[in-house]
Amino acid sequence: MEKKELQVRNMDAFEKSSALEDNRIMKNRHDTLAGQQKNLILSVILSLPLLWVMITHFAGTKIYVPSFLLNPWVQFVLATPVQFWIGRSFYVGAYQALRRGIANLDVLVVLSSTSAYVYSLVAMVKWTNHYHYMPGIYFETSALLITLVLIGKLLESLAKGQNSAAVKSLIRLRPHTATVMREGQPVQVAIQEVQVNDILIVQPKEQIPVDGTIVEGTSFVDESMLTGEHNLVSKQVGDRVFGATINGDTSFYLRADRIGGQTVLSRMIKVVEEAQQSKAPIQRVADSVASVFVPIVVVIAIITFGLWYMVFQAGDLAAALEAGISVLVIACPCALGLATPASIMVGSGRAAEVGVLFKGAEFLESTHEVDTIVLDKRGTITKGQPKLAEVALENHLDQISSGLNTETMLMWIGLVEQNSNHPIAVAIVRGIEERGINLVHNAITIEDIESYAGYGVRAVVDGHELVIGTRRLLSQYHIGFSAAEPKLAVLESTGRTAILVALDGTYVGSLMVSDDVKETTASAIARLKQMGIEVVLMTGDHRRTANSIAHEVGIVHVLAEVHPDEKAEAIRTLQTDGHQVAMVGDVSNNAAALAVADIGISIGPSLDVAMDAGDVTIMREDLNSIADAIQISNKTMNNMKLNLFLALVYNTIAIPIAAFGLLEPWIVGAAMALSSVSVVLNALRLQKSKWV
């Protein structure tokens, strides 16, 4: 009973710690929003009486107003807290900006509101000394301006909060508990108590707690939270599963491989947040425009003030001040500052929902510029699950060594290939074992194993030199195989990869390895070609094999027999020819090519490795995601450009109107706030966009 109560207390403690963790992640956003709401409420309470007084000044209005509100000192008491306490953040922001040698939104707000406040203060003091003097007091202008800017900022924050929906939904997916095997018994524990190499049991319909490897049982897993696809994926012993995905109808045991911040889900959250916080090159241009724009606006406001005071209404300080303040307010570049980050936040969040992760805003911006896609074969075009399809060893093995036959030869090959974790080596070993050949043989000696990345392996088995690999490897050892080329040509024309075998310097046959093409590959390539993108297949396979696969999926341009070390140079050649190149593949033998390409798109079953390797990560093994990524980039960029256009056109039209005195400052403030909201709402349209 005590043990059960302790577990319950542990669970309660975990629930609290889990809530604290989520709150910590969202803390800055929540605190900022709460502070904005509090300041706005107080500002509205203090500003409404001033607005009441201001409305009574309009011609034709017959609204009752208490006489005490007409007293300048009362208006001073109401406006001062708004100006210097509620509006203190604008002064701090303006000071920090000016210290860095730049002028921003805060500078304009401070200049315009302070001008109205100081003018009103001087007029009030003059009225105090001369009661017959009727002052032009604009305390309502300064207070309402700050209030309206605060309303605009709050609306922006609320709208931008929707942009973080993807991150919030990912955070909510985090599992809270796990069932761990302890001393042979299942024990439910808080997720933070799980350790690497713990054995966990996952029941039907349960959320998988951590990233791990199945050690017992089989099931189907819903990985839609990672990939955006609602398809169940078959999982068997040895397969990887990921935290927060949903188990199917049967239970299984898994070994915990990655926990906490190392899980794929945690890293997804980090990638999306970093992308949303980063700056795209076009955003830096907008920042530069804003930094130049503000000083220009200040000059225009000064000129406007001078023209009104000396020309339009000579000597009327109030009218001149009102026109100058209107220019300062209407020109606040907050819409310009929001134009690109709003689009980036929504675009990157929407991309994550469909299984596409951009590492940074610069990649979200530039992916749509790609005109050439280079595809690796294994695991990209094909399923990445090669299998031994055919054994074509010669019958005269006994002539090389007495008593040697095909079964013994396969045993030797399997024992040598067991030392490699290359997918083709693994497929050969599995295929040999499936043929009933036991690869546990202590009597056989294996010496001097030499591996050649991308080529094959050489070893000495029971005193015989065994070479297994590509044509290039056999040629390196001066082993002739020309007589076998006609037969190899027939086998390779079906898309199979030939692994040549030589014993004691004599070619003895080949192993044919096949890797099925993904069902969606041909349609995805057709879609890319319809988008005007050239698709290239690059592989280390023989040209006949490569051409066969390329023909099956609709690719014309083929780069075959390219060693992993040569792939980066092949990418550079395409770039030299003027192409904007994206390389697509897993990191196992494409790391250099992914790094050299203009955009490196990583794909593969190892999602944690994939997120480290590329500029863009495809979470599902479907090449349609490449087209999705390009379209997401394109729509996000178009959205950014429209936002910038709206912001700049707004200022271009509004400044002359304000300069001619056609708008009251408080109306100008409302229009400025609404312009910012319109930019954010335009960005939010990306959430409803269809990429296909």
Side-chain angles (χ1 to χ4, degrees):
M1 186 71 178
E2 291 180 0
K3 183 177 181 180
K4 184 175 181 180
E5 290 176 355
L6 178 61
Q7 288 180 357
V8 170
R9 286 199 298 271
N10 285 341
M11 290 303 302
D12 290 341
F14 167 71
E15 293 295 340
K16 293 177 182 178
S17 66
S18 178
L20 286 173
E21 182 180 6
D22 288 352
N23 287 339
R24 180 183 58 81
I25 294 172
M26 308 304 293
K27 187 175 185 303
N28 289 339
R29 296 190 185 105
H30 291 168
D31 289 350
T32 300
L33 191 61
Q36 286 178 317
Q37 291 172 330
K38 189 182 300 182
N39 284 337
L40 178 59
I41 291 171
L42 181 57
S43 187
V44 168
I45 291 172
L46 294 172
S47 299
L48 278 177
L50 297 173
L51 176 62
W52 189 0
V53 172
M54 184 186 68
I55 292 175
T56 63
H57 293 164
F58 294 149
T61 58
K62 297 181 180 180
I63 299 175
Y64 167 76
V65 59
S67 59
F68 76 91
L69 287 180
L70 298 174
N71 189 306
W73 279 100
V74 172
Q75 296 182 27
F76 165 78
V77 170
L78 292 171
T80 300
V82 177
Q83 183 69 40
F84 297 109
W85 175 250
I86 298 173
R88 66 190 183 281
S89 61
F90 297 112
Y91 285 92
V92 172
Y95 173 71
Q96 292 175 344
L98 293 173
R99 279 191 63 186
R100 298 195 303 270
I102 61 174
N104 60 4
L105 162 68
D106 294 329
V107 173
L108 289 183
V109 172
V110 167
L111 281 174
S112 53
S113 63
T114 305
S115 298
Y117 180 88
V118 170
Y119 173 82
S120 301
L121 183 62
V122 171
M124 182 189 71
V125 171
K126 187 175 181 180
W127 170 81
T128 302
N129 296 325
H130 306 280
Y131 284 101
H132 63 279
Y133 170 72
M134 297 298 296
I137 292 178
Y138 291 92
F139 283 125
E140 76 280 358
T141 296
S142 66
L144 284 172
L145 172 59
I146 289 176
T147 301
L148 289 167
V149 174
L150 290 175
I151 291 174
K153 283 183 170 289
L154 178 61
L155 290 174
E156 292 161 16
S157 297
L158 291 171
K160 287 164 68 177
Q162 296 182 42
N163 302 345
S164 303
V167 174
K168 292 177 183 177
S169 63
L170 289 173
I171 291 173
R172 285 194 294 267
L173 287 173
R174 283 177 169 162
H176 289 188
T177 63
T179 304
V180 182
M181 300 303 295
R182 297 279 165 84
E183 299 179 356
Q185 297 296 320
V187 179
Q188 193 174 55
V189 301
I191 195 70
Q192 71 267 25
E193 295 181 24
V194 177
Q195 302 295 318
V196 173
N197 293 325
D198 274 351
I199 301 300
L200 287 68
I201 182 171
V202 182
Q203 300 292 347
K205 305 300 182 182
E206 263 188 359
Q207 196 177 35
I208 296 173
V210 296
D211 295 1
T213 303
I214 295 179
V215 295
E216 183 180 334
T218 61
S219 188
F220 286 87
V221 175
D222 179 1
E223 296 185 341
S224 58
M225 54 77 57
L226 293 178
T227 65
E229 287 185 309
H230 293 277
N231 295 329
L232 295 177
V233 181
S234 175
K235 298 291 183 179
Q236 306 175 44
V237 173
D239 287 345
R240 295 280 306 279
V241 291
F242 304 99
T245 57
I246 307 298
N247 185 24
D249 294 326
T250 58
S251 62
F252 61 83
Y253 292 85
L254 67 89
R255 181 187 66 246
D257 295 334
R258 293 179 181 271
I259 61 176
Q262 295 302 311
T263 63
V264 166
L265 175 63
S266 294
R267 298 174 74 182
M268 282 179 65
I269 294 170
K270 183 179 179 182
V271 168
V272 174
E273 286 186 326
E274 287 178 349
Q276 291 183 341
Q277 293 167 7
S278 62
K279 284 191 176 184
I282 193 172
Q283 186 176 346
R284 297 187 184 98
V285 173
D287 291 343
S288 299
V289 170
S291 66
V292 174
F293 180 75
V294 172
I296 292 175
V297 168
V298 172
V299 172
I300 293 174
I302 293 172
I303 293 173
T304 300
F305 173 85
L307 288 174
W308 275 85
Y309 187 71
M310 292 185 291
V311 179
F312 299 143
Q313 292 188 22
D316 190 338
L317 182 60
L321 186 64
E322 187 173 285
I325 290 173
S326 295
V327 171
L328 290 173
V329 176
I330 202 72
C332 285
C334 46
L336 184 63
L338 280 171
T340 57
S343 298
I344 288 168
M345 290 187 71
V346 182
S348 57
R350 182 72 179 101
E353 292 175 1
V354 296
V356 178
L357 295 183
F358 292 92
K359 263 194 175 178
E362 64 270 30
F363 306 119
L364 179 60
E365 176 180 337
S366 59
T367 296
H368 78 286
E369 298 172 353
V370 166
D371 58 39
T372 302
I373 300 282
V374 178
L375 302 175
D376 185 34
K377 182 176 80 74
R378 189 183 70 249
T380 303
I381 289 177
T382 64
K383 294 180 179 179
Q385 300 169 351
K387 55 189 176 183
L388 182 58
E390 185 174 343
V391 175
L393 297 176
E394 305 297 334
N395 295 323
H396 57 268
L397 292 171
D398 57 345
Q399 298 176 12
I400 300 175
S401 178
S402 177
L404 184 62
N405 55 32
T406 299
E407 183 175 333
T408 303
M409 192 68 199
L410 283 174
M411 181 189 298
W412 288 4
I413 293 171
L415 289 170
V416 171
E417 293 287 12
Q418 275 185 331
N419 295 283
S420 172
N421 59 3
H422 191 282
I424 289 181
V426 172
I428 290 173
V429 171
R430 185 187 301 116
I432 291 172
E433 290 177 333
E434 289 172 352
R435 286 165 170 77
I437 297 174
N438 185 6
L439 297 183
V440 179
H441 207 296
N442 296 329
I444 296 175
T445 60
I446 302 175
E447 303 172 308
D448 302 331
I449 297 179
E450 297 179 68
S451 294
Y452 300 88
Y455 294 123
V457 64
R458 176 258 181 202
V460 176
V461 183
D462 277 352
H464 296 278
E465 183 185 55
L466 180 63
V467 180
I468 311 166
T470 64
R471 289 171 172 81
R472 190 180 294 191
L473 182 61
L474 266 64
S475 298
Q476 183 176 321
Y477 281 93
H478 308 290
I479 299 171
F481 50 85
S482 57
E485 282 291 2
K487 184 176 181 180
L488 291 172
V490 173
L491 295 171
E492 289 173 330
S493 65
T494 63
R496 295 174 176 176
T497 299
I499 304 300
L500 280 54
V501 182
L503 187 67
D504 292 336
T506 301
Y507 173 79
V508 296
S510 64
L511 306 175
M512 305 306 298
V513 177
S514 65
D515 191 358
D516 295 336
V517 172
K518 295 176 184 176
E519 292 80 2
T520 58
T521 297
S523 61
I525 289 172
R527 182 180 165 197
L528 287 168
K529 291 165 74 173
Q530 288 175 353
M531 293 166 62
I533 296 171
E534 182 178 1
V535 183
V536 179
L537 167 60
M538 182 165 63
T539 176
D541 281 341
H542 189 269
R543 181 163 295 279
R544 281 191 292 263
T545 301
N547 286 338
S548 174
I549 295 292
H551 177 73
E552 182 178 350
V553 299
I555 295 177
V556 175
H557 192 177
V558 177
L559 301 175
E561 301 178 49
V562 182
H563 187 268
D565 294 340
E566 301 168 342
K567 289 185 176 181
E569 189 56 39
I571 296 292
R572 289 192 185 95
T573 300
L574 290 169
Q575 290 170 326
T576 301
D577 292 339
H579 294 287
Q580 193 80 3
V581 182
M583 173 69 200
V584 185
D586 61 42
V587 72
S588 59
N589 61 355
N590 297 291
L594 288 169
V596 168
D598 297 292
I599 298 292
I601 303 178
S602 56
I603 187 172
S606 184
L607 294 177
D608 47 355
V609 176
M611 281 191 282
D612 287 333
D615 306 318
V616 181
T617 302
I618 302 301
M619 304 299 288
R620 56 181 180 174
E621 296 185 48
D622 182 347
L623 296 189
N624 276 296
S625 291
I626 301 171
D628 291 345
I630 294 171
Q631 290 184 326
I632 289 169
S633 172
N634 186 49
K635 288 195 174 187
T636 302
M637 277 303 299
N638 288 339
N639 191 273
M640 283 187 203
K641 291 174 182 177
L642 178 57
N643 270 350
L644 289 171
F645 174 78
L646 291 173
L648 291 172
V649 165
Y650 165 80
N651 283 315
T652 301
I653 295 174
I655 289 175
I657 295 175
F660 281 106
L662 300 178
L663 294 175
E664 294 282 342
W666 73 275
I667 297 176
V668 168
M672 180 272 297
L674 290 174
S675 72
S676 300
V677 176
S678 68
V679 164
V680 175
L681 292 177
N682 179 59
L684 289 174
R685 292 190 306 110
L686 287 169
Q687 289 182 335
K688 306 297 182 182
S689 293
K690 302 295 183 182
W691 310 124
V692 295

